[in-house]
């Protein structure tokens, strides 16, 4: 048996949901190019496409949009759980805890008995989780600063409502459209770590709220979704573009990664990074000097990394430019990764449903490298160097 670290290149499933060509820098959802979806679709429509495999009719889309709008409000006791968390709780940890708690507010005894063919429950919980994700992140933005959250509205799109709930202001149509495109770009990405987590937890027939909570935990790490926060912190540390080369060379010398660079699947620039870079350029034109510094520094970092890391196939990934855009929208760095989670809930739910259709519990094997057969010695006969001293 050959062990492959990180299961690199090992197929973990058959899936119809999305496709990556890492050499050409291509990403499609159900056969549709991500660029086209980012330009013409909405998060709501893309979510339906991911869930059901086809672009919806206008009636289907309107019905789904209504369902999402009508499931934005969270129950009083869910808010109480949030109120009892320390205000210092990172928004990703809040999200993980509160999404797990949804299982007790929306239980399904039938589902827990293994009746996974209960389509009504599966559809209801899909809508509930996706609709709640944005609300929870936006609510916590106020609560962790000591304020009452802002109630969701039912007259706004998903992206508009999120902006409204975070800022408390009437959402600007251009910002909302941009956020919508960002949500589309983050909605799905084949079998990445958090999607694999979704499949593994889902394969045990655990409650879907627990499934998504485990996916949120997986996304929170800096090698995965947490990288977008790290990128902004890195750009702030670098400061002016002329400091970039010395900073990068120093990090590489010390074998440290450059945040927002590299991807297991892409050996060229991540197509989502290219789209986000274009969006950033058009958005930042004419903005204040201070705001565009982060963008200029990012361009310089990209140029230097191409020179120093291009031969290894390390190029910007989606997290490299998303943080700059979030910062421009006025979002606190703490909710960069949660926004990623809000968007990715669409892809997670699609994979959870696909997993259930042909479920087999995940149970890989291992290559054992531990001790051979050992003889048990009673504790008083054990000398120095026993396990106790190593602890
Ligand atoms: C995403 C990531 C975990 C993929 O890891 P992976 O597929 O296991 O790739 P590897 O670690 O095997 O990288 C291959 C080579 O490129 C280098 N490399 C990869 N990403 C790098 C980065 N961000 N900065 C510097 N070097 C990097 C590795 O050091 C390795 O070099 P070596 O062959 O000389 O040892 C990795 O690129 C990374 O840590 N990136 C930064 C975190 C990040 O932005 N994550 C968000 C992903 S969307």
């Amino acid at each position: 048996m050959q062990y492959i670290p990180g299961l690199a290149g090992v197929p973990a499933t058959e899936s119809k949901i999305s496709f990556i060509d890492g050499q050409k820098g291509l990403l499609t959802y159900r056969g549709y190019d991500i660029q086209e979806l980012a330009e013409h679709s909405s998060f709501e429509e893309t979510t339906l496409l991911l869930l059901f495999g086809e672009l919806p009719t206008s009636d289907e889309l309107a019905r789904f949009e209504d369902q999402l709008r009508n499931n934005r409000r969270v129950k009083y006791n869910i808010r109480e759980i949030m109120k009892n968390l320390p205000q210092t709780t990172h928004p990703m940890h809040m999200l993980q805890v509160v999404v797990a708690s949804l299982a007790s507010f929306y239980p399904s005894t039938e589902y827990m008995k293994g009746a996974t063919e209960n389509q009504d429950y599966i559809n209801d919980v899909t809508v509930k989780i996706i609709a709640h994700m944005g609300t929870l992140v936006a609510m916590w933005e106020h609560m962790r600063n000591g304020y009452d959250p802002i109630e969701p509205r039912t007259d706004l799109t998903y992206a508009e409502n999120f902006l409204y709930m975070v800022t408390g202001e009437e959402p600007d149509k251009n910002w909302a459209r941009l956020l919508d495109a960002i949500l589309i770009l983050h909605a799905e990405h084949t079998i990445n770590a958090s999607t694999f987590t979704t499949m593994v937890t889902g394969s045990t027939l655990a409650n879907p709220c627990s499934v998504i909570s485990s996916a949120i935990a997986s996304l929170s790490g800096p090698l995965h979704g947490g990288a977008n926060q790290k990128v902004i912190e890195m750009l702030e540390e670098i400061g002016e573009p002329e400091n970039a080369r010395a900073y990068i060379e120093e990090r590489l010398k010390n074998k440290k990664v450059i945040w927002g660079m590299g991807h297991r699947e892409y050996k060229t620039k991540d197509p989502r990074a290219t789209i986000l870079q274009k969006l950033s350029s058009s958005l930042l034109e004419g903005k204040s000097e201070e705001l565009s510094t982060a963008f200029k520094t990012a361009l310089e970092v990209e140029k230097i990394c191409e020179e120093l890391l291009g031969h290894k196939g390390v190029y910007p990934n989606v997290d490299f430019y998303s943080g700059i855009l979030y910062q421009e929208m006025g979002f606190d760095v703490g909710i960069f990764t949660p926004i990623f989670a809000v968007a990715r809930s669409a892809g997670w739910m699609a994979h959870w449903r696909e997993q259930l259709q042909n479920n087999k519990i995940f149970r890989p094997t291992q290559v054992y490298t531990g001790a051979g057969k050992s003889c048990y010695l009673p504790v008083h006969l054990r000398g120095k160097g026993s396990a106790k001293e190593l602890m």
Side-chain angles (χ1 to χ4, degrees), residues 172 174-175 178 279-293 295-296 324-325 327-330:
D172 175 280
N174 291 329
W175 285 121
L178 179 66
L279 289 173
S280 316
S281 315
S282 54
L283 199 85
L284 298 181
E285 253 168 45
K287 291 264 176 184
S288 78
E289 185 57 28
E290 194 208 326
L291 292 176
S292 53
T293 300
F295 185 57
K296 282 190 211 149
I324 297 174
L325 285 170
Q327 211 174 36
E328 286 296 316
M329 287 180 181

Side-chain angles (χ1 to χ4, degrees), residues 24-26 34-35 185 268-281 295 302 315-321 325:
K24 292 191 185 139
L26 180 81
I34 187 73
Q35 167 94 40
L185 292 176
T268 179
K269 191 165 169 178
D270 182 336
R272 302 166 301 168
T274 308
I275 300 170
L276 288 179
Q277 185 186 355
K278 276 192 205 143
L279 289 173
S280 316
S281 315
F295 185 57
E302 179 178 350
Y315 291 94
N317 59 50
V318 69
D319 292 317
F320 194 66
Y321 287 102
L325 285 170

Side-chain angles (χ1 to χ4, degrees), residues 199-214:
M199 290 160 50
V200 173
T201 315
S203 79
T204 69
L205 302 187
N207 182 284
C209 305
S210 313
V211 171
I212 301 306
S213 175
S214 67

Side-chain angles (χ1 to χ4, degrees), residues 223-224 227 252 257-258 260-264 309 312 314 317 319:
L223 293 187
H224 192 6
L252 293 182
V257 293
I258 310 300
M261 293 283 157
H263 199 277
R264 174 67 58 77
L309 294 168
K312 295 186 183 179
V314 175
N317 59 50
D319 292 317

Side-chain angles (χ1 to χ4, degrees), residues 5 26 39 62 94 103 128 158 185 190 192 278 281 290 318 326:
L26 180 81
E39 272 175 33
M94 174 286 299
K128 190 80 76 190
Y158 198 104
L185 292 176
T190 75
N192 51 82
K278 276 192 205 143
S281 315
E290 194 208 326
V318 69
Y326 296 147

Side-chain angles (χ1 to χ4, degrees), residues 130-151:
I130 297 173
H132 271 39
M133 293 280 292
T135 311
L136 294 173
V137 173
M139 282 172 72
W140 188 241
E141 240 354 58
H142 298 280
M143 294 173 82
R144 74 182 177 126
N145 286 305
Y147 296 102
D148 278 330
I150 292 172
E151 286 296 311

